[in-house]
Amino acid sequence: MNTYETINDILVHLFNEIWELEEKAIISEEFKDITNNDMHIIEAIGLGAGDTMSSIAKKLNVTAGTLTTSMNRLVRQNYAIRQRSTEDRRVVMITLTEKGERAYRHHAKFHEQMTDAVIQSLESEELPVLLKTLNGLAKFFRNYND
């Protein structure tokens, strides 16, 4: 394989492997009642004061309607709660429960381990090249329009 084919092969397989490994790593016995997708919704909600459905949907690049089904399940399974804003009753804030916060931290730990594995394999002068490469890849995905 030439360099181009090798990079393409690595990227294609890496995305699939990350998705599969992440699912195995983060959907533990404690969190077996949710999906990998649910875990990413929990990540988008984040810790702290919470966020609105539309803000969470925007972070995930989905519609609020698409998010509603998953959010209903997360609320039913005690990972998240909905609360109306005291300032504007039309606004519904989503926050994580204690169980949701544990899931968030569990997921964050996997990401931390993944990032550490990459950084530890590099010399300090190689980090800027990796950052430039990953930023270029991220820019491609953010701007891709079929």
Side-chain angles (χ1 to χ4, degrees):
M1 266 194 279
N2 65 33
T3 302
Y4 182 90
E5 292 168 336
T6 301
I7 291 171
N8 181 65
D9 186 65
I10 290 170
L11 287 174
V12 169
H13 288 96
L14 188 59
F15 291 126
N16 291 330
E17 289 169 5
I18 288 171
W19 186 258
E20 289 173 15
L21 179 61
E22 182 178 46
E23 188 167 8
K24 289 176 187 172
I26 64 177
I27 306 304
S28 64
E29 185 63 29
E30 182 178 5
F31 307 116
K32 66 183 178 188
D33 57 341
I34 58 174
T35 65
N36 204 14
N37 187 55
D38 291 335
M39 195 65 90
H40 287 108
I41 294 169
I42 288 169
E43 179 183 38
I45 296 168
L47 300 176
D51 217 339
T52 64
M53 283 285 283
S54 57
S55 294
I56 296 165
K58 186 175 181 180
K59 288 179 192 175
L60 296 168
N61 201 25
V62 299
T63 66
T66 299
L67 181 59
T68 298
T69 303
S70 296
M71 193 58 67
N72 289 343
R73 185 173 52 255
L74 289 173
V75 168
R76 196 170 46 252
Q77 294 171 318
N78 196 34
Y79 284 92
I81 56 174
R82 291 183 175 103
Q83 291 180 313
R84 293 217 176 263
S85 168
T86 54
E87 291 86 36
D88 184 346
R89 301 282 300 153
R90 297 171 296 175
V91 176
V92 177
M93 299 298 291
I94 307 296
T95 56
L96 295 177
T97 62
E98 285 184 35
K99 183 179 180 181
E101 288 179 358
R102 282 194 313 275
Y104 177 94
R105 288 185 180 90
H106 179 68
H107 186 211
K109 184 177 180 181
F110 171 79
H111 283 206
E112 182 180 319
Q113 291 171 332
M114 180 177 62
T115 303
D116 285 346
V118 171
I119 290 173
Q120 290 174 3
S121 70
L122 298 173
E123 300 296 327
S124 60
E125 62 272 5
E126 294 173 308
L127 283 173
V129 176
L130 176 62
L131 285 172
K132 182 178 179 181
T133 302
L134 293 176
N135 278 322
L137 189 58
K139 185 177 179 181
F140 167 78
F141 285 122
R142 288 182 189 119
N143 296 322
Y144 185 77
N145 294 340
D146 283 10

